[in-house]
């Protein structure tokens, strides 16, 4: 290993002595030495095995299966989801190849040209559907048991004793049930069957059957598959409509919706954009027909919900009361998502409406941003269907009965996502100041004495959104609470478990990064598995249990000895009325007797990134290769940026200036060799600072706005809506319209001061960027040209916003950015494409 590192260091040290193509190959070969673990871990039902994907050069390379009891490890072919068959085997996939690994014997069996695969856990069997439309069933020892032909699709689930196939047979379409030994036709039709799915916790199967071409309707079929499969519903629905289901009261009822999009003929020579169109030219999303039914599976009772066709119906987890509203009522696109205005509760029994008012989305704190973001839904419902909470002002929650009757205002701001307790007597609230609980009967709110002054979340909450995401059922399965406590100032996280009436520390405060979305645990919540990393520690799987026996389970066989010598410091400063932090990384092989250049990256709040593993293959920050820069002798600095009253651009300028003042007490940083760069919003901030600062030797700006008034009045194809929401209530936090504060918008637009840029700048953009129009970058480039500034722009004809899906373009951009930093901060002038702009007579 030491020998390999020496070779790599030698290659890097000779980087500037070889032609450009060899330089690029050297960097690529060096990056290929690095791997990382990522994605969601997979755990077998009984908890004896864990699977994890391994990434190499930013792409999934392979996967590992680890025994949780004896640490036995298998490497498997797959690069995607891993499917366990009890504790006896696992299926993995890479492209069209699938591998089955017998975890008892270690034997592997491989299959080509695979479309889908699944397991039948009850029988220790698995099934492979191939491109020749054959599905074949195998034992755990690879023995073929059954072969069925002409199969178009398969449907399976964890709780099923059988699986279901759709196949063509002698001109008819059949639904076939099989466990891998014999096949039984349970339904057939001369029509076409589409969209099979399992519903009601896999107790029912549904599918849509098309009739003849002259028919104005399709048929929705629901079958009970618990014992002998039988039809319990045949319902005519509008032709070509989209059918969705919302379970009510844990499956006692179903809300069935059928929505048909507007089939509008488009004139070939003109598009009509109406000023009163609530969808702003999203014609394909305009629903022409809406129909809703309440279905009771136990007795196959069906009741139509009689609302006008322009009214939307959502479940509030009650078989009598439903949320109704007009979609996008009074939506003015100032907010990212439509607000739920003029909401009502519809009483199906009395056929009447109860007004509950205009509902606003409560917001939560986002770690990686100075902004707050909206919760997934506006309404959160209890699992017993008796209560829901919503907000009338976007600040405080109000408790309602399911009939729409307002019970009380919960008089505290800052409460985040609500979760109903297992006994239905309390509502727990996440917040930036610990966890809170509200006693429904006594109407008392109090603190749970956990996570005070820290961002606190409940990680074992069961959240079931409705099909339109306006409502969610939110509850705990047991009386236990798994709490995540995050200290944003120290970037530390801990986990505590509430059990038997008291809090138990599960994971003590750690500076390691733990992705809580990827935390997994066994069914009785006694053993927990995490993926942990730090800037100088590659990701690994750790195990924790309630008996405090904690240990490293699997390190991924990742070798990165030089990570241990990475050095980081956190600098504190104040700006725009807030306390902020900057992350400084030291060059590898740092010599305290020398001065080094520094590259600064900006994009909102970055403190939370200080414990991300520094692989040179990281996709974030976009186009900004921290590890590579450190290996090449740079300081790298990531300061926080918040927004104050003067506007986005001036706030960024103040934050960066104060951050530089703080970090430049480090005398090893050469103040004359500092570069500034950013992407997207960071690109805009870079553009603005370039027009107002003389502290940087050069800039790199990617996909950034230059004229925010033009962008304000643009249509964002990525968000599929007018873009002014981003400026008023989104990322730019301007808080008002251009018309009401024109001067502040003008002052924060970089393009109006483009003539004041006084250092060379590299711009880049993808010409297929549907977020920030690439014309914004072109406009800044044209302005710089007009005033004879030193600028080069990289435009990628096939590139998107960040070039993530264009790896060749991303590699070209990354290499050019490295050469740009070297040219202006290290004065390595042997770069022909830069010299073409910066002639010797201009140096």
């Amino acid at each position: 290993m030491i020998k390999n590192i020496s070779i790599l260091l030698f290659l890097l040290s000779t980087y500037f002595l070889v032609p450009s193509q060899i330089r690029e190959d050297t960097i690529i070969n060096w990056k290929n030495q690095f791997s990382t673990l990522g994605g969601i871990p997979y755990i077998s039902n009984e908890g004896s095995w864990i699977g994890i994907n391994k990434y190499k050069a930013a792409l999934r390379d392979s996967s590992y299966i680890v025994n949780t009891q004896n640490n036995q490890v298998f490497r498997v072919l797959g690069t995607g989801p891993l499917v366990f068959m009890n504790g006896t085997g696992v299926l993995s996939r890479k492209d069209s190849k699938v591998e089955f690994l017998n975890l008892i014997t270690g034997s592997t069996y491989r299959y080509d040209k695979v479309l889908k695969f699944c397991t039948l856990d009850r029988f220790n069997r698995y099934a492979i559907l191939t491109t020749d439309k054959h599905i074949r069933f195998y034992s755990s020892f690879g023995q073929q048991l059954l072969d069925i032909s002409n199969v178009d699709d398969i449907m399976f689930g964890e709780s099923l004793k059988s699986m279901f196939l759709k196949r063509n047979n002698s001109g008819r379409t059949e639904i076939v049930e099989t466990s891998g030994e014999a096949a039984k036709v349970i339904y057939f039709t001369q029509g076409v069957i589409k969209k099979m799915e399992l519903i009601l916790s896999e107790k029912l199967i549904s599918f849509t059957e098309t009739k003849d071409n002259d028919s104005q309707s399709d048929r929705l079929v629901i079958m009970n598959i618990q014992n002998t499969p039988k039809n319990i519903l045949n319902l005519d629905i509008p032709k070509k409509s989209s059918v969705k289901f919302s379970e009510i009261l844990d499956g006692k009822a179903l809300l069935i919706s059928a929505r048909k999009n507007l089939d509008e003929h488009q004139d070939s020579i003109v598009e009509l954009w109406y000023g009163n169109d609530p969808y702003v030219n999203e014609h394909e999303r305009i629903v022409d027909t809406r129909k809703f039914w309440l279905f009771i599976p136990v007795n196959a009772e069906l009741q139509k919900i009689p609302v006008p066709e322009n009214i939307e119906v959502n479940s509030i987890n009650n078989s009598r009361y439903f949320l109704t509203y007009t979609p996008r009522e009074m939506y003015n696109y100032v907010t990212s998502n439509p607000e739920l205005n003029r909401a009502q509760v519809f009483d199906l029994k009395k056929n009447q409406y109860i007004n509950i008012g205009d509902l606003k989305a409560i917001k939560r704190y986002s770690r990686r941003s100075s902004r707050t973001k909206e919760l997934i839904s506006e309404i959160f419902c209890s699992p017993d269907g008796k209560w829901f909470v919503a907000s009338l002002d976007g600040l405080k929650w109000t408790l309602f009965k399911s009939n729409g009757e307002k019970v009380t205002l919960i008089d505290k701001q800052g409460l985040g996502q609500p979760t109903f307790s297992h006994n239905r007597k309390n509502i727990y609230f996440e917040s930036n100041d610990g966890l809170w609980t509200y006693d429904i009967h006594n109407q008392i709110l109090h603190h749970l004495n956990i996570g005070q002054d820290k961002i606190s979340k409940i990680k074992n909450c069961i959240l079931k959104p409705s099909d339109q995401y306006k409502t969610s059922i939110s509850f705990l399965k047991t009386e236990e609470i798994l709490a995540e406590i995050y200290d944003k100032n120290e970037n530390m996280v801990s986990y505590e478990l509430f059990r038997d009436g008291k809090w138990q520390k599960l994971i003590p405060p750690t500076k390691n990064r733990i992705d809580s979305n990827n935390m997994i645990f066994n069914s009785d919540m006694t053993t927990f598995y995490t993926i942990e990393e730090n800037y100088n520690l590659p990701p690994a799987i750790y195990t924790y249990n309630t008996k405090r026996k904690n240990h490293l389970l699997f390190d991924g066989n990742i070798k990165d000895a030089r990570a241990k010598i990475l050095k980081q410091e956190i600098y504190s400063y104040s700006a725009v009325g807030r306390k902020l932090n900057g992350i400084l990384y030291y060059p590898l092989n740092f010599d305290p007797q020398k001065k080094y250049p520094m590259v600064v990256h900006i994009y909102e709040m970055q403190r939370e990134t200080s414990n991300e593993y520094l692989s040179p293959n990281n996709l974030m920050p976009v186009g900004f290769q921290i590890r590579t820069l450190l290996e090449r002798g740079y300081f790298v600095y990531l300061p926080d940026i918040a927004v104050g009253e003067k506007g986005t651009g001036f706030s960024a300028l103040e934050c960066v200036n104060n951050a530089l003042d703080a970090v430049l007490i480090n005398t090893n940083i050469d103040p004359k060799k500092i570069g500034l760069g950013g992407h997207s919003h960071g690109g805009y901030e870079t553009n603005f600072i370039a027009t107002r600062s003389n502290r940087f030797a050069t800039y790199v700006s990617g996909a950034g706005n230059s004229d925010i008034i033009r962008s304000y009045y643009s249509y964002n194809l990525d968000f599929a809506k007018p873009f002014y929401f981003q400026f008023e209530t989104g990322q730019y936090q301007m808080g008002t319209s251009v018309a009401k504060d024109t001067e502040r918008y003008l002052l924060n637009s970089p393009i109006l001061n483009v003539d004041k840029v006084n250092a060379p700048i590299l711009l880049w953009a993808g010409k297929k960027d549907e977020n920030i129009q690439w014309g914004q970058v072109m406009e800044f480039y044209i302005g710089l040209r007009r005033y004879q500034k030193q600028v080069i722009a990289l435009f990628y004809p096939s590139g998107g916003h960040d070039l993530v899906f264009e790896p060749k373009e991303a590699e070209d951009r990354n290499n050019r950015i490295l050469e740009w930093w070297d040219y202006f901060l290290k004065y390595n002038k042997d770069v022909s494409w830069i010299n073409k702009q910066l002639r010797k007579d201009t140096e």
Side-chain angles (χ1 to χ4, degrees):
M1 183 65 188
I2 294 175
K3 182 179 179 181
N4 290 339
I5 292 173
S6 299
I7 293 172
L8 289 173
L9 289 174
F10 172 76
L11 291 173
L12 286 172
S13 66
T14 58
Y15 175 83
F16 304 108
L17 304 178
V18 291
S20 176
Q21 181 59 51
I22 298 178
R23 295 176 191 172
E24 293 179 13
D25 291 343
T26 300
I27 294 179
I28 292 172
N29 291 336
W30 173 67
K31 287 183 176 182
N32 284 338
Q33 305 293 318
F34 292 84
S35 298
T36 186
L37 301 178
I40 300 174
Y42 304 90
I43 188 168
S44 59
N45 289 336
E46 78 296 339
S48 58
W49 295 91
I50 283 181
I52 187 69
N53 298 135
K54 188 173 182 178
Y55 292 73
K56 188 174 184 179
L59 299 174
R60 292 181 183 180
D61 176 68
S62 59
S63 298
Y64 285 87
I65 313 299
V66 186
N67 190 294
T68 60
Q69 305 303 313
N70 60 22
N71 288 57
Q72 182 183 12
V73 176
F74 290 104
R75 181 174 178 174
V76 296
L77 166 80
T79 58
L82 301 168
V83 180
F84 284 98
M85 188 174 73
N86 299 318
T88 60
V90 63
L91 285 159
S92 61
R93 179 173 188 163
K94 185 173 185 178
D95 301 323
S96 63
K97 299 180 184 295
V98 165
E99 177 183 271
F100 177 78
L101 167 66
N102 186 308
L103 293 167
I104 308 301
T105 66
S107 301
T108 59
Y109 308 92
R110 292 193 175 184
Y111 309 92
D112 295 325
K113 300 179 179 179
V114 176
L115 290 174
K116 292 184 177 181
F117 61 91
C118 68
T119 63
L120 289 85
D121 288 358
R122 295 189 182 186
F123 303 97
N124 267 354
R125 296 172 186 159
Y126 59 95
I128 306 290
L129 176 64
T130 49
T131 54
D132 61 2
K133 295 191 175 183
H134 279 254
I135 186 166
R136 299 173 177 90
F137 295 82
Y138 300 88
S139 73
S140 60
F141 298 98
Q143 177 187 3
Q144 183 173 312
L145 304 173
L146 182 66
D147 185 337
I148 302 175
S149 61
N150 299 318
V151 176
D152 294 317
D153 200 4
I154 62 176
M155 187 165 45
F156 49 89
E158 290 183 3
S159 65
L160 296 181
K161 62 181 180 181
S162 304
M163 65 180 301
F164 298 87
L165 321 173
K166 183 180 75 173
R167 74 172 181 182
N168 292 314
N169 187 17
S170 302
R172 70 181 191 182
T173 306
E174 299 176 342
I175 302 294
V176 178
E177 180 185 17
T178 181
S179 62
E181 289 182 342
K184 177 183 177 182
V185 177
I186 62 171
Y187 188 87
F188 65 88
T189 177
Q190 299 300 318
V192 176
I193 291 176
K194 56 183 181 179
K195 199 188 177 184
M196 296 191 307
E197 63 178 309
L198 292 166
I199 56 177
L200 203 66
S201 302
E202 301 182 349
K203 296 176 183 177
L204 307 179
I205 182 176
S206 77
F207 51 86
T208 302
E209 174 188 342
T210 62
K211 299 180 181 181
D212 58 78
N213 292 332
D214 294 331
S215 174
Q216 296 301 306
S217 63
D218 292 335
R219 178 178 292 120
L220 172 66
V221 179
I222 295 181
M223 303 184 72
N224 187 326
I225 55 175
Q226 285 298 286
N227 296 306
T228 302
K230 62 178 180 179
N231 286 29
I232 59 174
L233 179 66
N234 291 279
L235 174 66
D236 284 348
I237 59 174
K239 200 173 187 68
K240 296 182 180 181
S241 59
S242 172
V243 179
K244 295 184 179 180
F245 306 90
S246 293
E247 290 189 17
I248 297 172
L249 295 173
D250 200 25
K252 292 180 181 178
L254 284 174
L255 171 63
I256 302 174
S257 66
R259 301 179 181 90
K260 181 179 180 296
N261 286 354
L262 179 65
D263 186 17
E264 182 178 286
H265 173 70
Q266 294 289 329
D267 192 305
S268 60
I269 63 170
V270 64
E271 291 182 1
L272 295 176
W273 290 53
Y274 293 98
N276 60 358
D277 178 1
Y279 289 84
V280 191
N281 207 37
E282 293 184 77
H283 295 296
E284 73 280 2
R285 299 191 186 187
I286 297 179
V287 176
D288 179 50
T289 304
R290 294 180 175 87
K291 294 185 181 297
F292 303 92
W293 299 266
L294 175 69
F295 181 59
I296 311 297
V298 67
N299 57 10
E301 179 185 342
L302 181 72
Q303 184 176 1
K304 185 176 180 180
I305 301 177
V307 296
E309 289 195 342
N310 66 321
I311 296 296
E312 186 64 60
V313 176
N314 281 188
S315 167
I316 52 174
N317 200 33
N318 190 289
S319 57
R320 175 175 173 176
Y321 302 106
F322 299 87
L323 172 71
T324 59
Y325 58 95
T326 302
R328 299 184 177 232
E329 181 84 358
M330 305 184 322
Y331 182 38
N332 57 12
Y333 289 89
V334 170
T335 57
S336 177
N337 295 310
E339 294 178 331
L340 196 52
N341 293 316
R342 297 180 184 175
Q344 297 178 314
V345 168
F346 178 69
D347 185 336
L348 182 59
K349 184 176 181 179
K350 293 184 177 181
N351 193 22
Q352 67 181 27
Y353 296 88
I354 301 95
N355 293 324
I356 58 176
D358 296 341
L359 304 183
K360 312 296 183 184
I362 289 281
K363 296 186 176 182
R364 60 177 173 82
Y365 179 81
S366 174
R367 288 190 191 179
R368 301 191 69 155
S369 172
S370 58
R371 296 167 289 130
T372 53
K373 294 185 178 180
E374 294 177 355
L375 294 175
I376 191 172
S377 299
E378 280 94 333
I379 293 176
F380 292 84
C381 311
S382 65
D384 57 7
K386 294 181 179 180
W387 313 95
F388 66 83
V389 289
S391 178
L392 297 169
D393 59 6
L395 301 174
K396 299 177 182 179
W397 293 103
T398 295
L399 178 65
F400 293 84
K401 290 183 180 179
S402 58
N403 64 4
E405 178 186 341
K406 180 180 175 182
V407 178
T408 185
L409 174 71
I410 302 174
D411 195 16
K412 179 176 174 56
Q413 294 188 26
L415 298 179
Q417 181 172 299
T419 301
F420 285 85
S421 65
H422 176 67
N423 62 15
R424 319 309 191 229
K425 294 180 180 180
N426 299 286
I427 310 172
Y428 300 115
F429 290 96
E430 302 175 345
S431 84
N432 297 344
D433 181 29
L435 296 180
W436 295 74
T437 182
Y438 180 77
D439 184 322
I440 296 175
H441 177 72
N442 295 310
Q443 298 185 12
I444 296 174
L445 178 73
H446 68 268
H447 199 277
L448 280 176
N449 295 320
I450 189 76
Q452 191 168 4
D453 297 324
K454 296 178 177 63
I455 301 170
S456 302
K457 296 183 178 181
I458 297 175
K459 302 312 296 182
N460 60 325
C461 166
I462 306 299
L463 192 66
K464 296 182 177 180
S466 65
D467 68 288
Q468 296 296 294
Y469 286 89
K470 290 297 182 182
T471 67
S472 288
I473 308 169
S474 179
F475 64 98
L476 293 175
K477 274 189 173 181
T478 68
E479 294 299 337
E480 297 161 327
I481 303 173
L482 176 61
E484 176 188 84
I485 313 299
Y486 177 67
D487 184 335
K488 64 179 182 292
N489 293 319
E490 298 297 327
N491 195 22
M492 295 179 68
V493 68
S494 63
Y495 291 85
E496 302 213 19
L497 184 66
F498 185 78
R499 175 174 283 167
D500 299 327
K502 60 183 180 181
W503 288 102
Q504 175 183 351
K505 194 172 292 296
L506 178 67
I507 303 178
T510 176
K511 291 188 176 182
N512 283 352
R513 180 178 185 81
I514 298 177
D515 187 345
S516 60
N517 294 324
N518 293 342
M519 175 185 281
I520 55 177
F521 42 85
N522 59 1
S523 57
D524 59 1
M525 290 184 68
T526 57
T527 306
F528 303 79
Y529 302 94
T530 63
I531 299 179
E532 300 185 28
E533 63 182 84
N534 215 312
Y535 73 96
N536 57 358
L537 178 70
I541 300 177
Y542 294 81
T543 178
Y544 298 84
N545 64 43
T546 52
K547 296 180 182 179
R548 301 303 298 271
K549 294 181 180 178
N550 311 323
H551 66 275
L552 170 68
L553 180 65
F554 180 58
D555 65 3
N557 296 323
I558 297 173
K559 310 299 180 184
D560 185 4
R562 283 175 66 77
K564 297 177 182 179
I565 64 173
L566 290 168
K567 182 180 178 181
Q568 175 197 91
E569 290 178 347
I570 306 297
Y571 287 82
S572 297
Y573 56 96
S574 295
V576 297
R578 294 184 56 175
K579 293 183 179 179
L580 303 171
N581 295 289
I583 311 164
L584 180 69
Y585 293 102
Y586 275 65
L588 273 85
N589 303 318
F590 171 71
D591 183 347
Q593 304 302 316
K594 294 182 179 179
K595 284 185 177 291
Y596 295 86
M598 181 172 73
V599 180
V600 181
H601 174 268
I602 52 176
Y603 186 94
E604 294 194 345
M605 306 292 283
Q606 301 183 96
R607 176 67 173 93
E608 199 261 345
T609 69
S610 65
N611 52 11
E612 292 182 352
Y613 170 54
L614 291 184
S615 166
N617 295 313
N618 288 350
L619 297 178
M620 300 290 288
V622 174
F624 196 88
Q625 305 164 78
I626 297 176
R627 179 65 178 273
T628 309
L629 288 166
L630 301 181
E631 294 277 1
R632 295 156 71 92
Y634 288 92
F635 278 101
V636 173
Y637 192 39
L638 284 72
D640 286 339
I641 291 180
V643 178
E645 294 181 358
K646 291 184 178 180
T648 319
F650 280 103
S651 297
L653 179 64
E654 180 182 339
C655 290
V656 168
N657 277 335
N658 293 3
L660 283 180
D661 291 341
V663 79
L664 286 177
I665 64 171
N666 187 324
T667 57
N668 293 108
I669 300 171
D670 188 340
K672 295 181 180 180
K673 296 182 181 179
I674 302 177
L676 178 69
H679 164 256
S680 191
H681 192 65
Y684 157 76
E685 293 169 332
T686 300
N687 291 342
F688 184 88
I689 291 170
T691 67
R692 299 275 180 169
S693 177
N694 59 3
R695 303 186 71 169
F696 296 98
T698 188
Y699 302 93
V700 174
S701 171
N705 273 322
S706 58
D707 182 347
I708 65 172
I709 294 181
R710 174 188 170 194
S711 189
Y712 176 98
Y713 287 118
S714 70
Y715 183 85
N716 188 294
L717 293 170
D718 211 22
F719 289 94
K721 65 185 69 174
F723 206 24
Y724 46 77
F725 78 89
Q726 186 76 302
F727 295 86
E728 294 197 36
T729 62
Q731 200 165 27
Y732 286 75
Q733 301 179 69
M734 296 293 280
T736 189
S737 67
V738 169
K740 289 184 178 179
D741 201 345
T742 307
E743 183 179 3
R744 191 155 60 103
Y745 273 89
L746 289 171
L747 290 173
N748 281 274
S749 284
I751 193 63
L752 296 182
N753 289 285
V754 66
D755 59 306
K756 296 181 177 63
V757 174
N758 58 14
I761 185 168
L762 176 67
L763 307 174
W764 67 266
K767 295 180 75 171
K768 291 187 177 180
D769 189 344
E770 295 186 344
N771 186 355
I772 302 299
Q773 296 178 4
W774 74 275
Q776 288 275 339
V777 180
M778 175 60 80
E779 180 177 332
F780 206 58
Y781 163 77
I782 294 296
L784 291 163
R785 276 189 62 103
R786 171 63 182 85
Y787 301 111
Q788 299 179 344
K789 304 297 180 178
Q790 296 296 353
V791 58
I792 297 179
L794 310 174
F795 293 113
Y796 295 94
S798 300
H801 184 56
D802 47 26
L803 307 186
V804 167
F805 300 107
E806 299 84 33
K808 290 183 179 179
E809 285 84 349
E811 193 66 39
D812 178 83
R813 172 204 61 198
N814 293 346
N815 289 331
R816 291 183 188 275
I817 290 175
L818 285 176
E819 290 180 326
W820 186 270
W821 297 132
D822 288 344
Y823 193 101
F824 292 102
L825 303 181
K826 286 191 171 183
Y827 306 122
N828 295 309
K829 303 298 186 182
D830 184 23
V831 187
S832 58
W833 67 273
I834 300 178
N835 277 328
K836 190 172 181 178
Q837 167 67 34
L838 283 251
R839 308 284 183 186
K840 287 186 177 181
D841 58 353
T842 65
E843 293 177 8

